[in-house]
Amino acid sequence: MENLNTIGVLTSGGDAPGMNACIRAVVRDALDHGMRVMGIHKGYAGLIRGDIFEMHAKSVADIIHRGGTVLYTARCPEFLQTEYQDRAAEICRIFGIDGLVVIGGDGTFRGAQALSDRGINVVGVPATIDGDVSCSEYTIGFDTAVNVAVESISKLRDTSASHERCSIVEVMGRNCGEIALWSGIATGADAIMIPEDKDSQSFDQIVRVIMENRVRGKNHNIIIVAEGVGHSQELAKRVHEATGIDSRYTILGHIQRGGGPTALDIKHASMMGYMAVETLAKGETNRVIAYQKGAYVDLDIDEGLAMKKKPAMDIWQVNLQISTY
Ligand code: ADP
Ligand code: F6P
């Protein structure tokens, strides 16, 4: 690869706290290398429309602590079609973008693969609150989302305990139970239901745990349900019918994607944004930055996407063990 003159940066998929800190690191490090930096609004949707502007050191001032993404984000279904992928590669050439940093999840990296196939130098940075990027043990936004969930569940605990109720709390994660597992163990939940494991969804077992805990003197219960399992309203009704315990359901929803990032998210975002530019500057392309065994590494995107992530069932087991009265 020849020396890069101009790099582009975009955020794609669901927003995640820490994306701004990552954009800041990308912009500042690229400028340090003497590169021009182009910001692309609204992910691939903005790229195919040429919604692109030049960024300077000051463009990313005062955003390190802010949630959301100053570049905006979008889901862009058209980008699955080769016609739009061709157009995006053409737009990169028109704007002189010879390197592109994409900040998002596995879907975003699939889009990056398509651009790489069309000769664009790309590097992906894992950012999604779900924590479900297959090759990385950490994704930007996860820690903030878990902390927001824990804070909200702790508030529900106060009212649930006062009324001696069972609280069913639905947390985000369509295909991945990571937020449910972490927020569940951090709030002493009686049970955690995740989409990847059918056993965790056993209604009989949940009723048994609730009843055993009540017999032993616990006056309230918390059941965490990942979004991918769903049906929390119906579950609250069924728990009431099966146990006679007054039950309420709460869906935490998009509140988990908001708020300023935690220090952990800012640290990972800054390190991974910096790594992405360094990787491009070294002349590498079609790479994804990953956090593995305490270190930042870069992997081939195809290899990264081929990896499989297993749910942290150790958290589930330990929680079951220690949440029993
Ligand atoms: P995430 O990046 O968090 O996994 P999505 O799965 O919604 O989020 O993907 C974000 C965007 O990436 C999609 O809206 C689409 O524009 C693009 N994308 C996803 N999958 C592909 C694919 N197979 N080929 C090309 N682009 C894709
Ligand atoms: O970004 C991940 C995520 O928050 C998932 O947990 C959730 O299933 C999905 O995005 C919600 O997407 P939308 O913002 O389109 O409602």
Side-chain angles (χ1 to χ4, degrees), residues 198-212:
K198 282 267 165 265
D199 292 345
S200 74
Q201 300 169 27
S202 159
F203 182 69
D204 290 347
Q205 174 172 269
I206 286 161
V207 166
R208 195 168 54 246
V209 171
I210 291 173
M211 292 315 285
E212 280 175 10

